[in-house]
Amino acid sequence: MQDLPNLFLIGPMGAGKSTIGRLLAGELARTFYDSDHAIQARCGADIPWIFDVEGEPGFRHREIQMIDELTRLSNVVLATGGGAVLREENRKALRERGTVIYLLTTVDQQLKRTAKDRNRPLLQCVNREQVLIDMFAARDPLYRATSDITVRTDRRSPRAVVNEILRRVHRLIDPLESTETLNSKVSP
């Protein structure tokens, strides 16, 4: 079986990209990166502050640079911010430098997972649900066009999601190996 490529997680906020990414990296003995955390570490400031001072365009510029840098590394699992797919440069880097997994979740699940999170500038508003609905409508086609695999995360444990990702990535990399493994389990 071939070695697995870099694995890049995309999807909306609250889909579980960071949690699942850490577990996936641990399972594969790889380095885990979260592009938002890397941006904060480099700037020495949190994302709400960057949005306040530079606006979303300033943040997106920093995000393009960070994703370009992180996708050039080897043997990594990368969790991207929910809006990373808004820029063509990011979509291209992700598609060309690894296997992209879209973690799909419902707006209801996002609302539950982000209810107390004050570190999400785009959700600091009155009608959070409508914002999430609008973001999903705009971003879902980009997530789908960028990804190699789509995996649902709602009402599933992070471990179950990681196991599904590993199965599906292995199948993508070496479809015959997956068939042979299945056949060897069925044969006496």
Side-chain angles (χ1 to χ4, degrees), residues 34-56 58-60 62 117-122 124:
D34 178 306
S35 62
D36 284 351
H37 293 159
I39 291 166
Q40 291 179 123
R42 171 120 353 124
C43 293
D46 64 13
I47 291 172
W49 185 88
I50 297 168
F51 266 73
D52 283 347
V53 173
E54 299 177 1
E56 187 173 358
F59 173 77
R60 295 295 171 208
R62 290 177 183 277
D117 192 338
R118 299 290 168 242
N119 209 26
R120 299 182 190 270
L122 297 176
Q124 302 313 307

Side-chain angles (χ1 to χ4, degrees), residues 27-179:
E27 186 74 26
L28 297 170
R30 291 191 171 187
T31 305
F32 171 72
Y33 293 95
D34 178 306
S35 62
D36 284 351
H37 293 159
I39 291 166
Q40 291 179 123
R42 171 120 353 124
C43 293
D46 64 13
I47 291 172
W49 185 88
I50 297 168
F51 266 73
D52 283 347
V53 173
E54 299 177 1
E56 187 173 358
F59 173 77
R60 295 295 171 208
H61 178 71
R62 290 177 183 277
E63 185 176 56
I64 288 168
Q65 293 172 325
M66 187 57 67
I67 287 176
D68 179 57
E69 184 180 318
L70 294 174
T71 58
R72 290 180 185 277
L73 300 174
S74 298
N75 296 313
V76 299
V77 174
L78 169 64
T80 63
V85 295
L86 294 173
R87 299 295 189 264
E88 174 56 34
E89 300 96 310
N90 292 339
R91 295 191 304 268
K92 186 175 189 289
L94 293 165
R95 279 192 308 263
E96 292 178 356
R97 299 177 186 158
T99 297
V100 183
I101 299 114
Y102 172 18
L103 298 183
L104 176 63
T105 193
T106 61
V107 169
D108 184 53
Q109 203 60 44
Q110 286 180 274
L111 284 167
K112 288 176 186 165
R113 291 178 181 164
T114 62
K116 295 184 175 145
D117 192 338
R118 299 290 168 242
N119 209 26
R120 299 182 190 270
L122 297 176
L123 288 186
Q124 302 313 307
C125 61
V126 177
N127 194 344
R128 300 172 76 232
E129 182 175 17
Q130 190 59 52
V131 169
L132 290 171
I133 289 168
D134 293 345
M135 281 196 287
F136 181 80
R139 296 175 180 184
D140 180 63
L142 298 172
Y143 294 138
R144 290 179 188 278
T146 307
S147 65
D148 298 296
I149 298 169
T150 299
V151 178
R152 286 197 160 277
T153 65
D154 25 327
R155 293 188 302 270
R156 299 179 70 196
S157 73
R159 176 61 53 202
V161 174
V162 166
N163 290 339
E164 181 179 345
I165 289 169
L166 290 172
R167 274 192 314 276
R168 294 190 57 198
V169 168
H170 283 288
R171 218 176 317 150
L172 238 166
I173 302 302
D174 191 350
L176 293 177
E177 193 260 325
S178 295
T179 305

